[in-house]
mmCIF file of all heavy atoms in Angstrom:
data_model
loop_
_atom_site.group_PDB
_atom_site.id
_atom_site.type_symbol
_atom_site.label_atom_id
_atom_site.label_comp_id
_atom_site.label_asym_id
_atom_site.label_seq_id
_atom_site.Cartn_x
_atom_site.Cartn_y
_atom_site.Cartn_z
ATOM 1 N N GLN A 45 12.889 -2.216 5.350
ATOM 2 C CA GLN A 45 12.824 -0.908 4.716
ATOM 3 C C GLN A 45 11.515 -0.188 5.075
ATOM 4 O O GLN A 45 10.481 -0.819 5.267
ATOM 5 C CB GLN A 45 12.896 -1.050 3.188
ATOM 6 C CG GLN A 45 14.171 -1.695 2.692
ATOM 7 C CD GLN A 45 15.391 -0.848 3.009
ATOM 8 O OE1 GLN A 45 15.432 0.330 2.716
ATOM 9 N NE2 GLN A 45 16.385 -1.466 3.628
ATOM 10 N N TRP A 46 11.597 1.148 5.131
ATOM 11 C CA TRP A 46 10.409 1.968 5.330
ATOM 12 C C TRP A 46 9.609 2.012 4.036
ATOM 13 O O TRP A 46 10.185 2.047 2.949
ATOM 14 C CB TRP A 46 10.786 3.381 5.736
ATOM 15 C CG TRP A 46 11.305 3.477 7.133
ATOM 16 C CD1 TRP A 46 12.614 3.496 7.518
ATOM 17 C CD2 TRP A 46 10.526 3.549 8.325
ATOM 18 N NE1 TRP A 46 12.696 3.578 8.884
ATOM 19 C CE2 TRP A 46 11.432 3.613 9.401
ATOM 20 C CE3 TRP A 46 9.162 3.569 8.591
ATOM 21 C CZ2 TRP A 46 11.007 3.695 10.729
ATOM 22 C CZ3 TRP A 46 8.740 3.645 9.909
ATOM 23 C CH2 TRP A 46 9.650 3.711 10.966
ATOM 24 N N SER A 47 8.289 2.014 4.153
ATOM 25 C CA SER A 47 7.428 2.078 2.979
ATOM 26 C C SER A 47 6.052 2.602 3.374
ATOM 27 O O SER A 47 5.760 2.775 4.554
ATOM 28 C CB SER A 47 7.296 0.696 2.325
ATOM 29 O OG SER A 47 6.662 0.817 1.068
ATOM 30 N N VAL A 48 5.229 2.834 2.359
ATOM 31 C CA VAL A 48 3.846 3.218 2.608
ATOM 32 C C VAL A 48 3.059 1.972 3.015
ATOM 33 O O VAL A 48 3.509 0.843 2.824
ATOM 34 C CB VAL A 48 3.227 3.889 1.361
ATOM 35 C CG1 VAL A 48 3.974 5.172 1.026
ATOM 36 C CG2 VAL A 48 3.204 2.953 0.168
ATOM 37 N N ILE A 49 1.897 2.187 3.558
ATOM 38 C CA ILE A 49 1.040 1.093 4.016
ATOM 39 C C ILE A 49 0.244 0.566 2.827
ATOM 40 O O ILE A 49 -0.225 1.341 1.993
ATOM 41 C CB ILE A 49 0.082 1.590 5.112
ATOM 42 C CG1 ILE A 49 0.837 2.340 6.219
ATOM 43 C CG2 ILE A 49 -0.749 0.437 5.668
ATOM 44 C CD1 ILE A 49 1.954 1.574 6.868
ATOM 45 N N GLY A 50 0.080 -0.742 2.745
ATOM 46 C CA GLY A 50 -0.686 -1.299 1.637
ATOM 47 C C GLY A 50 -1.077 -2.733 1.876
ATOM 48 O O GLY A 50 -0.684 -3.355 2.868
ATOM 49 N N GLY A 51 -1.842 -3.255 0.932
ATOM 50 C CA GLY A 51 -2.271 -4.632 1.027
ATOM 51 C C GLY A 51 -3.132 -5.043 -0.146
ATOM 52 O O GLY A 51 -3.303 -4.292 -1.110
ATOM 53 N N ILE A 52 -3.685 -6.237 -0.050
ATOM 54 C CA ILE A 52 -4.467 -6.845 -1.120
ATOM 55 C C ILE A 52 -5.953 -6.766 -0.788
ATOM 56 O O ILE A 52 -6.367 -7.022 0.347
ATOM 57 C CB ILE A 52 -4.065 -8.331 -1.291
ATOM 58 C CG1 ILE A 52 -2.592 -8.428 -1.674
ATOM 59 C CG2 ILE A 52 -4.936 -9.027 -2.324
ATOM 60 C CD1 ILE A 52 -2.048 -9.847 -1.644
ATOM 61 N N CYS A 53 -6.749 -6.415 -1.808
ATOM 62 C CA CYS A 53 -8.208 -6.391 -1.651
ATOM 63 C C CYS A 53 -8.738 -7.803 -1.439
ATOM 64 O O CYS A 53 -8.313 -8.746 -2.113
ATOM 65 C CB CYS A 53 -8.869 -5.800 -2.892
ATOM 66 S SG CYS A 53 -8.397 -4.108 -3.272
ATOM 67 N N GLU A 54 -9.660 -7.936 -0.516
ATOM 68 C CA GLU A 54 -10.377 -9.191 -0.318
ATOM 69 C C GLU A 54 -11.498 -9.264 -1.356
ATOM 70 O O GLU A 54 -11.958 -8.220 -1.847
ATOM 71 C CB GLU A 54 -10.977 -9.246 1.094
ATOM 72 C CG GLU A 54 -9.954 -9.243 2.214
ATOM 73 C CD GLU A 54 -9.252 -10.575 2.394
ATOM 74 O OE1 GLU A 54 -9.765 -11.606 1.913
ATOM 75 O OE2 GLU A 54 -8.176 -10.588 3.021
ATOM 76 N N PRO A 55 -11.965 -10.468 -1.717
ATOM 77 C CA PRO A 55 -13.061 -10.566 -2.679
ATOM 78 C C PRO A 55 -14.270 -9.734 -2.233
ATOM 79 O O PRO A 55 -14.695 -9.804 -1.080
ATOM 80 C CB PRO A 55 -13.398 -12.061 -2.677
ATOM 81 C CG PRO A 55 -12.111 -12.720 -2.295
ATOM 82 C CD PRO A 55 -11.483 -11.788 -1.288
ATOM 83 N N GLY A 56 -14.781 -8.905 -3.142
ATOM 84 C CA GLY A 56 -15.945 -8.079 -2.866
ATOM 85 C C GLY A 56 -15.660 -6.809 -2.084
ATOM 86 O O GLY A 56 -16.565 -6.001 -1.876
ATOM 87 N N GLU A 57 -14.427 -6.600 -1.664
ATOM 88 C CA GLU A 57 -14.083 -5.423 -0.869
ATOM 89 C C GLU A 57 -13.762 -4.237 -1.781
ATOM 90 O O GLU A 57 -13.013 -4.379 -2.743
ATOM 91 C CB GLU A 57 -12.872 -5.741 0.014
ATOM 92 C CG GLU A 57 -12.481 -4.642 0.970
ATOM 93 C CD GLU A 57 -11.314 -5.038 1.861
ATOM 94 O OE1 GLU A 57 -10.342 -5.654 1.356
ATOM 95 O OE2 GLU A 57 -11.375 -4.740 3.061
ATOM 96 N N GLU A 58 -14.317 -3.098 -1.483
ATOM 97 C CA GLU A 58 -14.012 -1.878 -2.225
ATOM 98 C C GLU A 58 -12.565 -1.481 -1.942
ATOM 99 O O GLU A 58 -12.100 -1.582 -0.797
ATOM 100 C CB GLU A 58 -14.951 -0.748 -1.816
ATOM 101 C CG GLU A 58 -16.381 -0.950 -2.258
ATOM 102 C CD GLU A 58 -16.543 -0.897 -3.767
ATOM 103 O OE1 GLU A 58 -15.775 -0.177 -4.440
ATOM 104 O OE2 GLU A 58 -17.443 -1.587 -4.275
ATOM 105 N N PRO A 59 -11.829 -1.010 -2.949
ATOM 106 C CA PRO A 59 -10.432 -0.633 -2.726
ATOM 107 C C PRO A 59 -10.236 0.414 -1.617
ATOM 108 O O PRO A 59 -9.284 0.309 -0.839
ATOM 109 C CB PRO A 59 -9.984 -0.103 -4.087
ATOM 110 C CG PRO A 59 -10.858 -0.830 -5.066
ATOM 111 C CD PRO A 59 -12.185 -0.953 -4.369
ATOM 112 N N ALA A 60 -11.120 1.414 -1.515
ATOM 113 C CA ALA A 60 -10.978 2.413 -0.447
ATOM 114 C C ALA A 60 -11.124 1.767 0.924
ATOM 115 O O ALA A 60 -10.424 2.131 1.877
ATOM 116 C CB ALA A 60 -12.007 3.529 -0.623
#
Side-chain angles (χ1 to χ4, degrees):
Q45 299 296 309
W46 288 97
S47 190
V48 297
I49 309 305
I52 299 171
C53 299
E54 296 284 341
E57 185 177 42
E58 291 293 329

